Amino acid sequence: MAKSPFAKHPKHPTTRVAVLGLGRFGSSLARELVVHGSEVLAVDSNPRLVQQFADELTHVAVADTTDADALEQLGVADFPHAVVAIGSDLEASILTTSTLADFDIPRIWAKATSRQHGQILERVGAHRVVLPEFDMGERIAHLVTGRMLDYIEFDDNYAMIRTTAPRAVVGMTLTDSGLRQQFDITVVAIKRRGGEFTYTTPETVVSDGDQLIVSGAIADVEAFADLI
């Protein structure tokens, strides 16, 4: 029997991430990173916040994140990943991001409070900008109408949704339903009542109460959700 090409695949090394700013977003992110096995260095200028998370995170330090010398002494420049989690102080957010860019850190993520703020962060060196409040508001807007049970949007006009199977296709196979042809979407997985999600095939029959994972262009998956 042929051996799996992954049998001797080396274990992924521990990811090292510097999180600058321990507000609600930064502290939540840092905790999740630790839970998933990352080595985290968290830095904030507020001693109270640093003390609060000292027992939960790998490393914590009190420092001015806009001070390049202070960050260099802490070893931030040696981290392959860094997240600027500063939101309320725009000047500190921009200066910190610029400092990390000067360190040539390979992957810099930065939190923005507006699209304009995000554009500035990208100009000074952020590789990826996140707008937590905006993104969450957009996601909830899709869910609150009840058409979708979950919604994930990607950067390139692509989305995946979880929704209840429309009655119009109940009893049909996915091939016979014509969903791909009519809506240009793909039904990736299906969940029966009381069961778990499984991958679909063209011969999968849709039953009443099934939940579907559907992927496609944003406008197409929204049009499909309108059937519900």
Side-chain angles (χ1 to χ4, degrees):
M1 184 175 66
K3 293 183 178 180
S4 167
F6 305 107
K8 295 185 178 180
H9 192 71
K11 184 179 179 181
H12 195 283
T14 300
T15 305
R16 302 173 66 239
V17 185
V19 178
L20 309 181
L22 279 173
R24 285 182 297 177
F25 174 73
S27 60
S28 177
L29 172 65
R31 283 168 163 165
E32 285 299 313
L33 286 168
V34 169
V35 167
H36 288 85
S38 295
E39 176 187 345
V40 175
L41 167 61
V43 183
D44 197 284
S45 60
N46 187 329
R48 182 183 60 80
L49 283 176
V50 170
Q51 182 61 36
Q52 180 180 341
F53 297 104
D55 295 332
E56 298 183 55
L57 307 178
T58 319
H59 312 286
V60 292
V62 179
D64 178 358
T65 62
T66 67
D67 186 336
D69 291 336
L71 295 184
E72 195 158 17
Q73 288 177 9
L74 291 171
V76 172
D78 298 324
F79 276 70
H81 306 274
V83 180
V84 180
I86 304 166
S88 57
D89 189 335
L90 298 187
E91 182 179 3
S93 167
I94 294 165
L95 290 176
T96 300
T97 303
S98 177
T99 298
L100 297 180
D102 289 340
F103 288 157
D104 289 327
I105 291 178
R107 295 298 299 166
I108 302 171
W109 290 62
K111 174 189 175 183
T113 56
S114 68
R115 292 198 180 278
Q116 184 179 25
H117 180 198
Q119 290 171 352
I120 295 172
L121 292 174
E122 288 178 339
R123 288 172 187 164
V124 299
H127 301 111
R128 184 71 180 267
V129 170
V130 293
L131 294 93
E133 291 83 2
F134 178 86
D135 292 341
M136 182 55 70
E138 185 176 54
R139 180 168 179 266
I140 294 301
H142 281 88
L143 304 182
V144 74
T145 60
R147 298 180 305 158
M148 305 177 194
L149 302 173
D150 209 347
Y151 176 89
I152 302 174
E153 183 175 320
F154 300 90
D155 290 340
D156 50 356
N157 190 38
Y158 187 86
M160 296 187 75
I161 67 170
R162 178 164 64 101
T163 188
T164 304
R167 292 183 179 179
V169 300
V170 169
M172 298 182 181
T173 66
L174 290 178
T175 296
D176 292 339
S177 71
L179 291 176
R180 182 188 288 273
Q181 292 75 22
Q182 183 174 352
F183 293 95
D184 199 23
I185 52 91
T186 299
V187 179
V188 179
I190 190 167
K191 181 180 180 181
R192 309 295 188 186
R193 290 181 185 271
E196 298 180 350
F197 274 108
T198 58
Y199 291 115
T200 59
T201 71
E203 302 310 313
T204 297
V205 177
V206 180
S207 300
D208 186 36
D210 286 350
Q211 291 184 15
L212 308 177
I213 299 293
V214 178
S215 65
I218 293 173
D220 293 332
V221 297
E222 288 179 343
F224 172 72
D226 285 339
L227 290 176
I228 308 304

